[in-house]
Every structure is written in C-alpha cells, then in structure tokens.
Amino acid sequence: MAPPGNDKNQLFLGLFIHSVKLGELQYLHDTAVCVDKSGKIIAVEKQCDQKKAEVTLYPKLGWKVDDVTVTIAKDGQFFFPGFIDTHIHAPQYPNVGIFGKSTLLDWLNTYTFPMEASLSSLPKARRVYTRCIQRTIAHGTTTAAYYATIHVPSTNLLADLCLSLGQRAFVGRVCMDNLGPKYYLDESPSKSLAATRATIDHIRSIDADFDLISPILTPRFAPSCSVDAMTQLGALHQETGLPIQTHIAENVDELKLVRDMFPDSKNYADVYDRFGLLGKRTILAHAIYLSEEEADLVAHRGSKVSHCPCSNSALTSGVAPVRWLLDKGIGVGLGTDVSGGYSPSVLDAARQAALVSNHLAMPPRTGKKQIDSSADTEANTSFKDDRELVRLSVEEALHLATRGGAEVVGLGEKIGGFEVGKEWDAQLIGLGLVPEEDDSTELKQDDQDQDQDTGNVDIFGWERWEDRVAKWVFNGDDRNVKKVWVRGRLVHERR
Ligand SMILES: [Zn+2]
C-alpha cells in the first residue's frame, strides 16, 4: 500500500517565501509553482500569472487546463513551507500547559507517565491522537517526529491516523525497560525489542516504502533503557537503517542520574555512542548541557539536535546554546516538545527560539558569573560581542522551523523549500489587512469574511515584506494558516 496521490495537477500562484540558507529568506513574487499528481514540484516560474502558465508551462508539462486545480495567494497572503516539528510527544497532548512548578524528573512522574500509561486504551488513544494531529496540522505542521507510548496497538493507531489525516510523520514506540514506574515499563529487553519490531512491521504494512509514515527507533532516554535494550536497539538500527530519536542533556539532575547509572561512559553522548545510537539519523532533543567534547562527538557522528525552547523554559531546564551548536556544524531544527512545551505550534517554537536566544545575550543577574557590563574594559567588550552573536533572527528561527528541521529528520532532499524536485508540503498564510479609512465602515461581504479570521496580525500596507513576516512570527497563530498541503494533498482548510 502507498499513500493516496492527487486527482489533479496543481498550479500555485502568487508570493512564495522560503528559507534558502540560515538567515536568508527568499521572496518569490508573482511566481507560479507547478505540482504534479504525485505531489512533486515540477516547475517554478518567476513573473508568471495564470494565463502565461496556461500558454507557456502547460504545453511543456503536457497539462490540460481542465486537469489542473489553481490556488492563488491573494493580497496579504503567501505560501510558506510546512513546519517540521522535530520533537513531539503525541500522548502528552492532553497535558499541554499543565506542569506547575515541576522540573523534568518530577514532571515525568507526576503528569507524564500516568497520562501515557492510560493510552493503552485504544478509544482514549484515538481521541487524543486525532486531536493532536488535527491541531498540529492546523498550525501548519506538515511533518512531525512523534514519540508514542510503550503500547504497540496505540502506537500503530497513531501511524494509521497520521496516514489517514495526511500528516507526514515519524512514529516511535517508546522503549523503556529500566527506570520508570512499575505500571509503565517494558517487561524485558527482548519484549521491548519485539514490541518495537511489531510497530515497524505494522507501518511497513500501511506504507511499504515509508513515503509518508516512517518508524523511528525511540529509546526514551538513556536512564530509562537497560544496557541490553540499548545494545539491541543499536543492532536494529544497524540492520534497518531506521532513524533514532531520544533525549540528551536536558536537565542538571538528569545529567547526574546518567553519570551515576553509566559510570563507565565518558559522558552522556558517549552512552549513546557506545551502543551505536549516535549516527547521522539520530535526533537528539534538547542538548542544553553538552560539553565541548560531546558537541564535537555529535558533530563528528553527524547527529542532529531538536531545539525545544518552549519546553526548556516551561520546565526550567535551561537555555540551549543554539549558535554554538550551529557553529560546530550540527544540524538544528525546532521541536514543540509537547507537553514539556505548552504549545503545539512550531511558529510558537520559532518565536521562543528567538526570545530565548536573547536571554543568552543579556548580562546574568544571579549566580557567581555576574558581569559588570557597564565597565568599558576590553574583556567586557569582547564578551558583549560574543553575547550579541548568540541571538537568533526571525529569518534564522524560520530556517530552523523548515529547512533546518527537514535536515534534522533526514528529509532535506524532499521537503523544507520550494525547489523543483521537492514535494509540496506547504501552508498558505493569510495576514490581516487593515482596511483603508474610506472602506472601514462599509466592508464588502468578501472582505469581512477574510478579515474576521486573521487573528492578531494587522497589516497596514506600508510594511516591507520582511516586516510583515516578523509581525507574523511574533503575533501569528493558527488563524493565519488558511490551507495546508502534504505531498500535494490538501489536509487542512480554514473556513
Ligand atoms: Zn521530549
């Protein structure tokens, strides 16, 4: 079986915005993008309207007018690549916003494990997963790297639902056979591995080539897995080449736990490396407290990092040094980390990534390292310069949300931008246009429909497009996501 294709070829017209490299958005005005029935972009033509496309592009592509669906980005709208959530726990979705003053390890025991354990119930899992997928799609997430639970049937159900609702996904059955509550643990390493194999087989039965849905090996985090389980997972990765996702260096108590549990390992990254779990297809969530040596190892192995700023702030975990990771050559994407993170929106994650990076640039106010930044010494000037470098711009945050995320999940060739050969995973973004004074009292019905649903982003018309995008990043939400496509299939429409 394979995911369904589309009945018609598709022509998209208007403004396309995408990241071409870290820190650089490209604005393609008055452009035509042609997408074939398999969902692939087969032509991108600048300075092209519908008429010109019909006359010049269609014959070249062998297209007939009545075999093409046309979608036009209207004034104030633009196409943007779909967001890629590189780290999200679907079963924790009902808990978004519920974390109190807890930090990682007590949060797991208080909120997370009881909720995950309860999703052994298939009706409950169906309800939670359906809403989680629908909600993230509505926020423009076209690809998600999901952690499910330890249960095979409900993990399989998550894969089924992603396929039917049309979201591209990596679905991981969580392996945990070591540390965890008695009521929520794999019974043994061999049962853990057998359960993971069962979910892989299931996903192969619904999407043979993993075109839309792929399994992903998911050791929850080092302390939750036995040495035996991690050894077998490493072997399974070697055998199948499947991607891996896990957590690393999120919280200081967790670091101590790892040191105590793995005294023979040099450091946290080395624990995964010893079991063959640190490779090109490994997604490491958080990576807040990596040492220089660990970051060099991660870079050397080609493993990637999922930056989860919302969760890192909510659980008081720490501030990840994203610029430092990028400068090491490590690929970085964004994760919502629902429900350590309270928001299912990757746009929110981009916003938080920018704001949190500013925190690294501010003088510390507590602790021993307080800096007198007002003193005009050479050391302080260079420190201030260094601090300035850590800040992430809107363009950089959006890169991590799209093209950067695509590389993190190993789909850099397929998604993340609007080049020919990529698949059409995209969203149509609509911003609110504030009517001219003359029009404001008597709006046409059409405009009213459009204006009522544009959320908090008010565009007056004099803003440069760069500024409009910044206004969207800081004030936008799902009300701005008008349509969403995955592999050319329309999977969400806001009416
Ligand atoms: Zn997580």
Side-chain angles (χ1 to χ4, degrees):
M1 265 174 47
N6 298 290
D7 300 344
K8 292 199 170 195
N9 297 307
Q10 297 185 80
L11 172 69
F12 297 93
L13 292 164
L15 171 60
F16 297 76
I17 305 175
H18 65 161
S19 175
V20 285
K21 63 176 189 189
L22 186 69
E24 187 182 331
L25 290 178
Q26 185 180 42
Y27 296 76
L28 300 165
H29 292 274
D30 304 315
T31 293
V33 169
C34 299
V35 174
D36 71 10
K37 289 175 185 173
S38 76
K40 206 170 259 185
I41 298 173
I42 53 170
V44 176
E45 188 80 10
K46 290 183 199 168
Q47 298 304 315
C48 186
D49 59 15
Q50 188 170 349
K51 205 157 224 175
K52 189 175 167 193
E54 286 173 6
V55 174
T56 63
L57 289 176
Y58 288 18
K60 267 194 258 175
L61 301 171
W63 285 11
K64 297 203 170 63
V65 172
D66 55 5
D67 198 27
V68 181
T69 306
V70 180
T71 306
I72 300 170
K74 291 187 269 189
D75 198 17
Q77 298 185 333
F78 60 94
F79 297 101
F80 199 77
F83 288 135
I84 294 153
D85 189 342
T86 59
H87 185 79
I88 172 167
H89 299 259
Q92 296 173 20
Y93 178 65
N95 280 347
V96 280
I98 308 175
F99 52 92
K101 283 193 168 182
S102 61
T103 56
L104 179 65
L105 300 178
D106 55 319
W107 169 81
L108 282 169
N109 286 313
T110 309
Y111 303 102
T112 307
F113 292 146
M115 176 60 74
E116 290 193 14
S118 75
L119 293 205
S120 59
S121 153
L122 279 175
K124 186 171 178 182
R126 179 179 293 278
R127 205 166 153 222
V128 169
Y129 290 161
T130 301
R131 181 48 62 100
C132 176
I133 297 164
Q134 287 171 336
R135 182 69 69 198
T136 53
I137 290 177
H139 279 279
T141 300
T142 50
T143 298
Y146 284 119
Y147 287 58
T149 62
I150 64 171
H151 316 104
V152 173
S154 56
T155 300
N156 291 348
L157 177 64
L158 176 59
D160 293 346
L161 291 169
C162 289
L163 187 68
S164 64
L165 294 169
Q167 190 175 46
R168 196 186 289 278
F170 295 83
V171 175
R173 191 202 74 90
V174 172
C175 292
M176 47 188 289
D177 68 329
N178 195 25
L179 190 69
K182 277 202 182 79
Y183 63 84
Y184 187 54
L185 269 183
D186 290 331
E187 284 173 48
S188 68
S190 58
K191 284 193 173 160
S192 181
L193 263 289
T196 290
R197 279 185 186 274
T199 60
I200 295 169
D201 290 344
H202 175 77
I203 294 171
R204 194 173 280 118
S205 77
I206 60 167
D207 186 358
D209 297 323
F210 306 150
D211 284 328
L212 199 73
I213 315 295
S214 169
I216 183 164
L217 306 180
T218 307
R220 179 171 211 117
F221 70 144
S224 68
C225 296
S226 66
V227 164
D228 207 1
M230 282 199 282
T231 306
Q232 291 189 50
L233 279 174
L236 186 57
H237 169 66
Q238 192 74 26
E239 172 195 326
T240 59
L242 285 174
I244 299 165
Q245 61 183 354
T246 190
H247 298 81
I248 196 168
E250 175 177 359
N251 164 293
V252 286
D253 293 332
E254 172 211 13
L255 296 182
K256 184 174 181 313
L257 185 64
V258 171
R259 269 198 307 272
D260 292 346
M261 289 178 74
F262 301 93
D264 297 339
S265 287
K266 275 190 282 183
N267 50 49
Y268 203 156
D270 182 53
V271 176
Y272 293 132
D273 197 42
R274 271 173 50 200
F275 298 110
L277 294 170
L278 208 58
K280 280 190 176 54
R281 299 208 68 192
T282 304
I283 306 170
L284 300 165
H286 302 286
I288 299 172
Y289 297 106
L290 293 183
S291 66
E292 187 98 35
E293 190 184 9
E294 288 177 292
D296 288 340
L297 176 65
V298 169
H300 185 66
R301 293 282 184 257
S303 304
K304 315 293 191 292
V305 165
S306 172
H307 175 43
C308 306
C310 193
S311 165
N312 294 347
S313 295
L315 296 182
T316 330
S317 298
V319 182
V322 173
R323 178 76 60 202
W324 180 71
L325 296 169
L326 290 167
D327 287 348
K328 291 266 179 200
I330 297 169
V332 180
L334 295 180
T336 58
D337 194 21
V338 161
S339 69
Y342 55 81
S343 169
S345 156
V346 175
L347 187 70
D348 239 336
R351 179 183 308 152
Q352 297 291 337
L355 290 178
V356 160
S357 76
N358 286 358
H359 284 259
L360 282 172
M362 299 178 203
R365 297 295 301 164
T366 56
K368 289 179 185 147
K369 278 190 179 171
Q370 191 149 332
I371 302 290
D372 179 7
S373 54
S374 62
D376 198 15
T377 63
E378 202 177 310
N380 272 347
T381 307
S382 109
F383 183 75
K384 274 192 269 187
D385 288 347
D386 287 351
R387 285 200 321 237
E388 192 58 31
L389 286 175
V390 301
R391 300 174 65 194
L392 293 174
S393 65
V394 161
E395 288 78 9
E396 287 172 325
L398 288 175
H399 179 86
L400 302 187
T402 55
R403 202 177 289 268
E407 278 158 25
V408 166
V409 299
L411 296 178
E413 298 291 312
K414 259 191 178 180
I415 54 173
F418 292 135
E419 294 81 25
V420 169
K422 284 218 159 62
E423 298 187 2
W424 180 253
D425 283 23
Q427 40 184 332
L428 177 66
I429 301 297
L431 306 179
L433 294 175
V434 178
E436 300 277 340
E437 210 176 336
D438 295 348
D439 307 343
S440 56
T441 46
E442 246 181 90
L443 283 176
K444 283 182 266 167
Q445 189 59 40
D446 227 27
D447 293 338
Q448 271 186 357
D449 289 347
Q450 203 186 349
D451 286 340
Q452 277 170 3
D453 201 24
T454 43
N456 292 323
V457 189
D458 283 327
I459 301 297
F460 290 87
W462 57 69
E463 300 92 341
R464 299 175 310 147
W465 265 104
E466 290 81 351
D467 296 333
R468 295 180 192 201
V469 167
K471 289 177 84 162
W472 169 55
V473 167
F474 286 106
N475 283 305
D477 57 35
D478 54 331
R479 287 171 292 184
N480 303 110
V481 182
K482 301 303 176 191
K483 293 184 179 189
V484 180
W485 297 263
V486 176
R487 281 180 107 225
R489 177 183 170 196
L490 184 67
V491 293
H492 172 73
E493 188 166 11
R494 196 174 177 91
R495 295 182 194 281

